[in-house]
Amino acid sequence: MDALETRELRYFIAVAEELHFGRAAERLGMAQPPLSRAIQRLERRLGVLLLDRDRHGVSLTGAGETLLHEGRAALDAVTAAARRTRRTGGADRPGGRRGRLVLAVKAGASHELLHKLLDAYAAEPGAAEIEVLPSGTCEQGEMLRDGRADVALMHKPFNSLAGFDSEELMTEGQIAVLPAGHPLAARKSLSLADVEDIPDLPLARWARHGAYRPGPGPEIHDQTQLAQLIALGRTVAVFPDSARAWLWAEHAAVPLVDAPPVVTHIAWPAHSRSVALAGLIRTATRL
Amino acid sequence: MDALETRELRYFIAVAEELHFGRAAERLGMAQPPLSRAIQRLERRLGVLLLDRDRHGVSLTGAGETLLHEGRAALDAVTAAARRTRRTGGADRPGGRRGRLVLAVKAGASHELLHKLLDAYAAEPGAAEIEVLPSGTCEQGEMLRDGRADVALMHKPFNSLAGFDSEELMTEGQIAVLPAGHPLAARKSLSLADVEDIPDLPLARWARHGAYRPGPGPEIHDQTQLAQLIALGRTVAVFPDSARAWLWAEHAAVPLVDAPPVVTHIAWPAHSRSVALAGLIRTATRL
DNA sequence: GCCCGGCCATACCCGGCGGGTATCAGCGAG
DNA sequence: CTCGCTGATACCCGCCGGGTATGGCCGGGC
């Protein structure tokens, strides 16, 4: 009655994302006719229309939208199960470490807290091996969901903690990072409004899921690149306090009085029941 | 490379729970040899030993434990996707309601808050149809996870909110419910220690997942049954304040000064993105 | 010590289903 | 009206999931 094989989910998601059977089939590395049949069978089995195929192409029905969202979550859970099982499996092999953990951290984020955490945990008796996995902009959540990571350092309000268990580790204010010579660099403090429209110094725009919000500032996908652009007096950026650690001589940092505080959490999938993970969390909350 | 079909997960979970290929096959309605092969294939594909088959029968390896936990979560996610898709699908049919929602509530819990919520929501413009689904003792979480429900009323500290988004709705104290004639019934207040060992009046024990904790008190699985046993002077029980609503003349309620407060939340799967659900949550938080 | 019974693995067979190619059918553009 | 695009249909094949029969291993009972 249920059935719903993961293959069918993969197929449907491909079609739902492409809204085009031919392209979806190509993406899946198969021919189009079997894909059409598979979707038809899926619709028959669920007793529900998932796609509207009319003259204007393919579009999602309400049920299709639901299955797209829920199916993505389900597929993530399945691949997470596979990945985590493979990881645990290595532990039984000769030479494998018991309870290896993958910790996702924002690439380029402050290393101070991370260092303290790793050092403190390594000192614990029976500590597991921790693999630190730098993640792209704000994708720690996806890595936890699809099993690439077991635990993550996440930063409110940039990451969403929805669906995870978490403990608060640290709160910090934010600073504006300006070119050292800029007039505003002499100020004791700034407000968000101040930095949002500095003449000839637009705010940098970070890549979010591969796309950029429209705006005047330069498009950034790398911290070094941003540091350089600031040093050259071409842009300004907002960072948590701990970013001071990597500032250059050509940079100036000014506290932002009204920027929302950045709260660093350690987060993990709610259903986790690993002793190694529990130990790491305990260590983290004691810092 | 990933593969991992849900059928294989079902198979493995059956074997992992039974720790016996024959019984697992019977439970799955199939013969034992194909099941053995499927598990072997699964192990080969994951590159990991999941089960130890030695002279003393079958036992789980570390990787097997991981796959059991993670696989259950993944299977729940898959069946949730199927169920929710079927539900949404009905909405497109003639006569079907748009955005039907299933709300899980603890069977026998206070109806006061629930009534207020349903009434207030029904008065909203464009309100969806709400199906109220009474759930067994504290299994609202499972119902959210496997898609039987879309949203639930949960009671801290009895339900775990881990993995869900939630909003707090109400906090109440707890009371001891005693036979009306009992000496302690005259007291203005009691402590937990007071009710835990009243001579000849043991605390009732609720069924938890079909089993009972060992203890002297009667085994309860039904509120009416408990009410009767209290009225007969055979037991005592602890309830949230709102339980006063259904007390009988033969019952006496005494506030417990040191019992943890019961906090009612409205909770939903973290990834939900339904307008009907959003409306219900908005209504609930405004109560 | 031997036999038996329980249990998982292996061997072998079959039918269905997943996937491929060729082709049709609707529809919009030119 | 025709052509091109796209999804559906028709038909075929090979593999895999599932069944039955049986083997190998081990532990317990007589």
Side-chain angles (χ1 to χ4, degrees):
Chain A
M1 114 139 206
D2 277 319
L4 250 234
E5 289 303 319
T6 63
R7 186 175 348 103
E8 306 179 283
L9 277 181
R10 271 195 299 275
Y11 288 2
F12 173 74
I13 289 173
V15 175
E17 284 177 355
E18 301 283 345
L19 291 178
H20 188 290
F21 280 78
R23 280 194 300 273
E26 187 184 8
R27 199 173 104 184
L28 292 164
M30 65 187 292
Q32 169 259 322
L35 179 58
S36 286
R37 273 194 328 183
I39 301 294
Q40 287 173 14
R41 191 173 40 240
L42 183 59
E43 289 178 317
R44 213 174 337 114
R45 231 186 280 162
L46 289 173
V48 155
L49 259 191
L50 298 171
L51 299 165
D52 273 332
R53 299 95 149 157
D54 55 13
R55 39 211 162 286
H56 309 298
V58 178
S59 61
L60 285 172
T61 65
E65 302 247 16
T66 302
L67 187 58
L68 180 57
H69 288 298
E70 299 275 334
R72 276 175 179 151
L75 263 192
D76 277 348
V78 172
T79 75
R83 276 201 252 256
R84 297 209 172 100
T85 303
R86 284 206 184 90
R87 271 212 291 282
T88 323
D92 290 337
R93 302 273 181 78
R97 297 293 195 299
R98 186 134 210 106
R100 196 160 123 258
L101 280 181
V102 176
L103 171 67
V105 300
K106 189 171 148 205
S110 150
H111 284 182
E112 192 185 334
L113 177 68
L114 182 56
H115 259 135
K116 277 200 304 191
L117 173 58
L118 292 178
D119 290 348
Y121 180 67
E124 294 273 315
E129 181 189 349
I130 305 275
E131 179 182 335
V132 177
L133 180 65
S135 81
T137 321
C138 298
E139 60 171 344
Q140 292 103 307
E142 301 164 38
M143 303 192 112
L144 286 184
R145 263 187 287 274
D146 69 14
R148 277 174 294 171
D150 299 306
V151 53
L153 291 184
M154 299 178 79
H155 310 281
K156 236 179 168 179
F158 307 119
N159 298 113
S160 159
L161 296 173
F164 303 118
D165 272 4
S166 64
E167 291 282 348
E168 203 172 308
L169 294 187
M170 184 179 79
T171 301
E172 51 188 330
Q174 297 199 66
I175 53 176
V177 179
L178 303 142
H182 195 276
L184 286 181
R187 299 269 292 268
K188 284 276 177 272
S189 72
L190 291 168
S191 73
L192 275 179
D194 289 334
V195 295
E196 258 162 20
D197 44 19
I198 306 176
D200 297 327
L201 207 61
L203 260 177
R205 289 171 300 133
W206 285 92
R208 272 297 259 259
H209 299 116
Y212 295 91
R213 303 183 174 284
E219 299 180 344
I220 300 296
H221 58 263
D222 176 313
Q223 187 170 291
T224 317
Q225 176 195 8
L226 175 57
Q228 188 144 26
L229 285 173
I230 296 174
L232 292 172
R234 310 299 291 267
T235 189
V236 58
V238 171
F239 271 100
D241 276 340
S242 55
R244 293 178 189 271
W246 54 262
L247 291 192
W248 303 351
E250 299 95 328
H251 292 151
V254 180
L256 284 165
V257 289
D258 58 351
V262 177
V263 188
T264 302
H265 291 75
I266 185 167
W268 61 95
H271 59 82
S272 300
R273 294 207 167 275
S274 135
V275 285
L277 176 59
L280 180 65
I281 294 162
R282 190 164 10 92
T283 304
T285 54
R286 281 180 187 161
L287 279 186
Chain B
M1 115 137 204
D2 277 318
L4 251 239
E5 288 303 318
T6 64
R7 186 177 347 102
E8 307 179 283
L9 277 181
R10 273 194 299 274
Y11 288 2
F12 173 74
I13 289 172
V15 175
E17 285 177 354
E18 300 283 347
L19 291 178
H20 189 289
F21 281 77
R23 280 194 300 274
E26 186 183 8
R27 197 173 104 182
L28 292 164
M30 66 187 291
Q32 168 259 322
L35 179 58
S36 287
R37 273 195 328 182
I39 302 293
Q40 288 171 14
R41 191 173 42 240
L42 183 58
E43 288 178 317
R44 212 173 338 113
R45 229 185 282 162
L46 289 172
V48 155
L49 259 193
L50 298 171
L51 299 166
D52 274 331
R53 300 95 150 155
D54 56 13
R55 40 210 160 288
H56 308 299
V58 177
S59 61
L60 284 173
T61 66
E65 303 248 16
T66 302
L67 188 58
L68 180 56
H69 288 299
E70 299 275 334
R72 276 175 178 150
L75 263 193
D76 276 349
V78 172
T79 74
R83 276 201 251 257
R84 298 210 172 99
T85 302
R86 283 205 184 91
R87 271 213 292 283
T88 322
D92 290 337
R93 301 273 180 80
R97 294 296 193 301
R98 188 136 206 104
R100 194 161 124 257
L101 281 180
V102 176
L103 171 67
V105 300
K106 189 170 148 205
S110 148
H111 282 183
E112 192 185 334
L113 178 67
L114 182 56
H115 259 135
K116 277 201 302 187
L117 173 58
L118 293 178
D119 289 349
Y121 180 67
E124 293 274 315
E129 181 189 350
I130 305 275
E131 180 182 334
V132 177
L133 180 64
S135 80
T137 320
C138 298
E139 61 169 346
Q140 293 103 307
E142 301 164 37
M143 304 192 112
L144 285 184
R145 263 186 286 274
D146 70 13
R148 277 174 293 172
D150 299 306
V151 54
L153 291 184
M154 299 179 79
H155 310 280
K156 236 178 166 179
F158 308 118
N159 298 114
S160 158
L161 296 174
F164 303 118
D165 272 4
S166 64
E167 292 281 349
E168 204 173 308
L169 294 187
M170 184 179 80
T171 302
E172 51 189 330
Q174 296 199 67
I175 53 174
V177 179
L178 302 143
H182 195 276
L184 285 181
R187 298 268 291 269
K188 285 275 177 272
S189 72
L190 290 168
S191 73
L192 275 179
D194 290 333
V195 294
E196 257 162 20
D197 44 19
I198 306 176
D200 296 327
L201 206 60
L203 260 177
R205 290 172 299 134
W206 285 92
R208 273 295 260 259
H209 300 115
Y212 294 91
R213 306 183 171 285
E219 298 180 343
I220 300 297
H221 58 264
D222 177 312
Q223 186 169 292
T224 317
Q225 175 195 8
L226 175 56
Q228 186 144 27
L229 286 172
I230 296 173
L232 292 171
R234 309 300 291 266
T235 188
V236 59
V238 172
F239 272 100
D241 275 339
S242 55
R244 292 179 189 270
W246 54 261
L247 292 191
W248 303 352
E250 298 94 329
H251 293 150
V254 180
L256 285 165
V257 288
D258 59 351
V262 177
V263 187
T264 302
H265 292 74
I266 184 168
W268 61 94
H271 59 82
S272 300
R273 293 205 168 277
S274 135
V275 284
L277 176 58
L280 181 65
I281 295 162
R282 190 164 8 92
T283 305
T285 53
R286 281 179 187 163
L287 279 185

